[in-house]
Amino acid sequence: MESVHRFSLISSLKGRLAVILAIATIIPILLTGYISYRWIYIVQTEKIEAEWLDKVQRERDELDRKLDELGRVSQLMDIEGGIGRDVVNFITSNNSFDRAILYRNINQSVANVNFSNPNLGVMFYYAPEQAEPLLFPNANVKLQFQPEDLHAFFKQKLFTYYGPHESLDVANQAEPVFSLLRKLNYGQGRSLYAYIETKVVGLDAMFAKASTAAASHEESPVYHVLTTPAKQIAYTNMPSGPDNQQTAFEPPDHAYKVFEATGQQGWTLYQLIPKDDYNRELNKWLSQFILFASLSFGLGIILAWLIWRMVYRPIRIINREITRFSYNPSLTQVSATGLTEFNHIMNNFHQMSRRISELITDVEDKEKRRGQLEVEKLLVQINPHFLHNTLNTIQWLARIEGHTNIARLVSIFTRVLHYNLGKKNIIVTVREEVDAVRDYIDLQNIRYDHSFNVKLSIGPECLDVPIPRFILQPLVENALYHGFDDDDRGEIEVTITRADSSLYLRVKDNGKGIPADKLLAMLEEEDDQLRKSGLGIGLRYVKKMLDVYYGTEAQLTMESGTGIGTTIAIRLPDTIKGVEALDSGPNRG
């Protein structure tokens, strides 16, 4: 059932217009979407990735430069050819004057190094064997310094790099720094350490504290992970990752877009961008494309509806005119459709409908005339038979009785002839039809010497109802001639009532009845033998009159059976449509 409905929808003009316009709308959208997607995808994968990779490489190079700078500065603090020789002399000298001179020179040299390298932070020597292990610091440094408290970044011979971590400068502890601790050996297995910090200028956002990083990442969430050469985490600001824990790191490719760059000493810097943020532009394009596609598709549907309405409205007007014509061919009017082509079709239809109406009217007139001719033909068949019997009665009465009865008979007979032969219109009242039946009964009683009784029961409300002339007498005549034998004394009941805008006529006799096969033949008018015998002629006339004047609104039924008599019932409207037109035919006279 569903497939049939789908097929009927596609086979309709509305369905096909919708499909064609939908295809015409969707194809440009798909082509535009594909081209723009390819363009933005190429930009996303080539240009944007190249920019992010270049950015992480610049950050790697900057960090390499910072670490190299620590190494170069440490050379200035070495024992051989650097400030370290004066520091060793200061530690080993017992002369107060010499120590004072050395102290001044060392401080001056540290100041010069710090001045020539402005990115450097805290600098000092660390001598764990001395009572005061921190020597010659260039800033206010924490007194408790334990190198093992710092997380080592990587080691290279006597160099140990740390970071990123908080500065040892009490005034700037929040600043992230990288540091170098260089071991300086001097005589008989004794050691001295040079400690140097460098600020991460240019990389502050990368190595900011977690809270600061999180705040900045709300706008552009780019996370950093710094791993040691052994691939252990030295630093991360990822919200769900370990913070400066020496654990192995595996880049989470499923949720992040990862860019990486490896430094000269084997450490690796990672940039991680959440894929939702990385694809933000692509998602933005996708949402805009969906909006554009929806608007285009909606516009296509509106255009389809407008085109369908433009075509369907004239079709509906034409269909309405055809439907109206099918119910009433006479109701035709010119209706404008708004389109020249459909107006031309409508004009052709109206011309055709007018021609059909004319032909229908002509056929109806011919049928009415043919019906009237059939009625006249039946009257011609009925009246000679009636006249023959009546004249035969007059002949026998003239021989047997006196002139008084003959005069009475002739008087009644004259009235009957005047009514039957058309001195009145074809449409009469029930009162006139009943009076004619009474005259006819009087004639038959004279003829049969009152061998039967006819009872008339007419409702007063029925007397002025118009009916076709001569539809009651043939039914009574059939009952008289064909319902009784010569020695029977029959009874006939004629009843006329009115109810529910209908007139009910019933003629009932208690005669011998009509066999079922003859009754059917009479109703269907198929038995030539019955016609020749006169049985059914009057009934055919009545049926023809009812058909001419009432059509399907009248109903005639017959009930009969051998030995139980016959009942003929007629139901017809209590008004006759088009009486004036039908009465214009010739009178019988």
Side-chain angles (χ1 to χ4, degrees):
M1 190 68 181
E2 184 179 353
S3 61
V4 173
H5 176 71
R6 189 183 300 111
F7 175 76
S8 63
L9 181 62
I10 296 177
S11 62
S12 66
L13 177 63
K14 177 182 178 181
R16 292 188 179 182
L17 277 176
V19 171
I20 292 174
L21 288 174
I23 294 175
T25 304
I26 291 173
I27 289 179
I29 293 175
L30 293 178
L31 291 177
T32 303
Y34 175 76
I35 293 173
S36 60
Y37 177 80
R38 287 295 303 167
W39 179 83
I40 198 169
Y41 182 78
I42 291 174
V43 170
Q44 186 83 358
T45 55
E46 294 183 2
K47 183 178 179 180
I48 296 180
E49 285 191 8
E51 290 178 356
W52 281 107
L53 185 60
D54 181 64
K55 183 177 179 181
V56 73
Q57 289 175 349
R58 289 199 307 270
E59 293 175 348
R60 185 258 334 256
D61 295 340
E62 180 67 17
L63 186 54
D64 263 336
R65 188 180 67 80
K66 295 289 184 181
L67 299 177
D68 288 341
E69 184 178 21
L70 289 177
R72 291 195 303 272
V73 171
S74 69
Q75 296 292 339
L76 299 176
M77 300 180 70
D78 195 5
I79 294 176
E80 296 180 1
I83 304 172
R85 182 183 299 276
D86 291 337
V87 174
V88 171
N89 292 334
F90 178 81
I91 294 172
T92 58
S93 175
N94 293 322
N95 189 311
S96 299
F97 178 78
D98 293 338
R99 286 171 62 86
I101 297 299
L102 291 171
Y103 184 83
R104 185 190 63 185
N105 292 338
I106 293 172
N107 283 331
Q108 185 63 41
S109 298
V110 169
N112 291 337
V113 171
N114 198 11
F115 180 78
S116 61
N117 296 278
N119 290 330
L120 294 180
V122 175
M123 296 175 54
F124 60 82
Y125 285 90
Y126 174 61
E129 298 175 356
Q130 299 294 319
E132 295 182 3
L134 299 182
L135 303 176
F136 306 106
N138 64 342
N140 186 12
V141 181
K142 297 178 181 179
L143 297 179
Q144 300 296 328
F145 172 70
Q146 299 294 334
E148 58 270 13
D149 292 339
L150 302 177
H151 295 298
F153 184 24
F154 66 89
K155 291 184 179 181
Q156 188 179 21
K157 296 181 180 179
L158 299 177
F159 296 81
T160 301
Y161 291 88
Y162 299 93
H165 60 83
E166 292 181 353
S167 175
L168 297 182
D169 187 352
V170 175
N172 298 299
Q173 291 184 16
E175 293 183 358
V177 296
F178 282 85
S179 60
L180 169 66
L181 189 64
R182 180 172 181 174
K183 187 176 182 180
L184 306 174
N185 297 319
Y186 64 96
Q188 299 178 355
R190 289 183 296 179
S191 298
L192 180 67
Y193 296 89
Y195 177 85
I196 310 169
E197 288 183 359
T198 181
K199 301 175 184 179
V200 287
V201 178
L203 303 176
D204 305 68
M206 183 196 312
F207 299 112
K209 289 186 178 181
S211 59
T212 307
S216 63
H217 294 160
E218 290 179 359
E219 298 180 356
S220 180
V222 179
Y223 301 105
H224 293 83
V225 177
L226 182 64
T227 63
T228 66
K231 301 302 180 183
Q232 293 178 331
I233 296 177
Y235 169 81
T236 178
N237 61 356
M238 293 181 64
S240 59
D243 189 7
N244 290 336
Q245 299 296 324
Q246 298 294 322
T247 56
F249 175 71
E250 291 293 337
D253 294 335
H254 60 283
Y256 295 89
K257 187 69 176 178
V258 180
F259 299 93
E260 61 180 275
T262 303
Q264 297 177 357
Q265 288 78 25
W267 51 266
T268 305
L269 178 63
Y270 295 91
Q271 277 189 350
L272 297 95
I273 307 172
K275 286 188 176 180
D276 291 340
D277 295 283
Y278 181 78
N279 295 324
R280 181 178 299 170
E281 292 298 326
L282 188 62
N283 294 335
K284 183 178 179 181
W285 167 86
L286 183 61
S287 62
Q288 292 177 348
F289 173 73
I290 291 175
L291 178 62
F292 169 75
S294 301
L295 293 176
S296 300
F297 190 71
L299 181 61
I301 292 177
I302 294 174
L303 291 176
W305 179 79
L306 291 175
I307 295 175
W308 170 76
R309 185 175 182 272
M310 180 178 62
V311 176
Y312 176 73
R313 182 175 177 273
I315 293 176
R316 185 176 60 183
I317 294 175
I318 294 174
N319 182 64
R320 183 183 62 196
E321 293 299 319
I322 293 174
T323 303
R324 180 186 298 171
F325 177 77
S326 65
Y327 283 102
N328 192 341
S330 62
L331 294 177
T332 57
Q333 59 183 12
V334 178
S335 301
T337 63
L339 292 175
T340 304
E341 294 79 3
F342 286 101
N343 286 338
H344 182 67
I345 295 174
M346 181 66 78
N347 291 332
N348 290 337
F349 168 73
H350 283 303
Q351 293 178 4
M352 179 192 69
S353 63
R354 284 193 294 268
R355 179 58 182 160
I356 292 176
S357 298
E358 293 173 358
L359 292 175
I360 291 175
T361 303
D362 188 36
V363 170
E364 289 178 348
D365 292 340
K366 290 180 179 179
E367 285 295 320
K368 290 177 182 178
R369 289 195 295 270
R370 187 173 70 85
Q372 292 175 350
L373 290 176
E374 287 290 333
V375 171
E376 292 177 358
K377 178 182 176 182
L378 289 172
L379 286 174
V380 170
Q381 291 176 341
I382 294 171
N383 288 333
H385 179 261
F386 170 71
L387 290 174
H388 175 74
N389 291 334
T390 304
L391 292 175
N392 186 47
T393 302
I394 295 173
Q395 179 183 359
W396 284 101
L397 286 176
R399 292 178 182 179
I400 298 173
E401 299 184 0
H403 295 287
T404 302
N405 290 334
I406 294 175
R408 180 170 174 270
L409 178 62
V410 171
S411 176
I412 297 173
F413 182 57
T414 301
R415 290 198 303 270
V416 173
L417 286 179
H418 183 270
Y419 184 81
N420 288 351
L421 294 180
K423 295 303 181 182
K424 293 182 178 291
N425 291 332
I426 197 68
I427 301 300
V428 297
T429 63
V430 171
R431 186 193 311 275
E432 293 173 319
E433 182 74 5
V434 171
D435 289 343
V437 170
R438 285 194 179 100
D439 288 338
Y440 174 77
I441 293 170
D442 289 342
L443 283 177
Q444 297 305 323
N445 280 333
I446 294 173
R447 177 185 175 189
Y448 289 100
D449 194 17
H450 301 283
S451 61
F452 60 90
N453 293 321
V454 178
K455 297 179 181 180
L456 297 174
S457 177
I458 313 300
E461 71 278 3
C462 305
L463 295 176
D464 295 324
V465 175
I467 59 173
R469 178 168 56 88
F470 203 63
I471 65 171
L472 194 57
Q473 179 181 324
L475 304 181
V476 176
E477 183 179 1
N478 269 340
L480 290 176
Y481 288 157
H482 306 293
F484 307 103
D485 292 332
D486 293 338
D487 56 350
D488 289 342
R489 298 187 64 82
E491 291 185 357
I492 301 174
E493 294 181 3
V494 178
T495 305
I496 302 178
T497 58
R498 184 180 185 183
D500 300 330
S501 300
S502 297
L503 192 67
Y504 297 90
L505 295 81
R506 188 181 69 169
V507 178
K508 179 180 180 182
D509 65 67
N510 60 351
K512 60 185 178 180
I514 304 173
D517 55 342
K518 289 186 178 181
L519 180 65
L520 182 62
M522 290 174 64
L523 291 173
E524 296 181 356
E525 306 176 9
E526 293 180 351
D527 197 332
D528 292 336
Q529 198 67 27
L530 290 174
R531 283 194 220 125
K532 292 178 181 179
S533 66
L535 182 62
I537 293 178
L539 185 63
R540 288 174 52 223
Y541 166 77
V542 172
K543 290 175 62 178
K544 185 64 67 175
M545 292 290 284
L546 296 179
D547 184 59
V548 169
Y549 289 98
Y550 298 100
T552 58
E553 295 182 356
Q555 182 179 5
L556 185 146
T557 58
M558 291 183 65
E559 296 179 1
S560 184
T562 304
I564 61 173
T566 303
T567 300
I568 301 177
I570 298 176
R571 183 190 63 79
L572 46 84
D574 58 4
T575 57
I576 301 177
K577 297 179 181 179
V579 170
E580 296 79 2
L582 294 172
D583 270 350
S584 62
N587 293 335
R588 291 156 179 78

